[in-house]
Amino acid sequence: MATTQWVLDPTHSELQFKVKHLMITTVTGSLHLISATLTSEGDDFENGKVTFEGETASINTGNADRDTHLKSADFFDAENFPKITFESTSLTKDGDDYILNGNLTVKGVTKPVELNAEFGGIATDPWGNTKAGFTISGKINRTDFGLTWNAALETGGVMVSEAVKIAGELQFVKQA
């Protein structure tokens, strides 16, 4: 079977992160994906390869002061580490969905991660483009990637949790 290349449709895709603040609420942010590709055998994604690049300077939580802090050396150090990258090591079928394993690189540190990839299906848009959709979810520990800034609270606990939830809606366009 022929290898099929799929590229990200950025207009219909998003990548978010969620982290607890003061241990009582969750702050949501997003990362602009520069590019993402999915290589498969035809329309069968089992054993496919996935890569993506995101721009750290694009981090957006809806608060300019917080975004500036996140882009600083305390967190992502966007000036010295302008990209977050992911390269899959396996994509295995799990019922109707997939388990996506790969190497995530943040702030120059590469660690293996496992993500769930819920398969939304394949559809053709009104212009004849074949598209595949996935909902990505998972969790990482930010300190594993050198994102260690924090502050202790008088009441106990810390300002920012170490656990970061990843949530993505990714739509890929099949290339001819």
Side-chain angles (χ1 to χ4, degrees), residues 62-137:
N63 179 286
D65 289 339
R66 179 174 45 227
D67 295 347
T68 297
H69 190 203
L70 287 172
K71 294 171 194 178
S72 77
D74 281 348
F75 286 98
F76 290 96
D77 195 1
E79 187 174 324
N80 293 306
F81 300 98
K83 293 182 177 133
I84 293 173
T85 62
F86 175 85
E87 186 171 336
S88 70
T89 55
S90 69
L91 182 61
T92 53
K93 195 93 165 127
D94 183 28
D96 292 333
D97 300 320
Y98 297 88
I99 302 295
L100 177 60
N101 286 286
N103 293 314
L104 178 65
T105 302
V106 179
K107 204 173 177 180
V109 177
T110 302
K111 297 282 183 181
V113 298
E114 181 176 285
L115 303 169
N116 297 310
E118 181 183 327
F119 181 52
I122 296 176
T124 303
D125 71 15
W127 301 273
N129 299 303
T130 301
K131 298 188 173 186
F134 295 88
T135 298
I136 305 297
S137 62

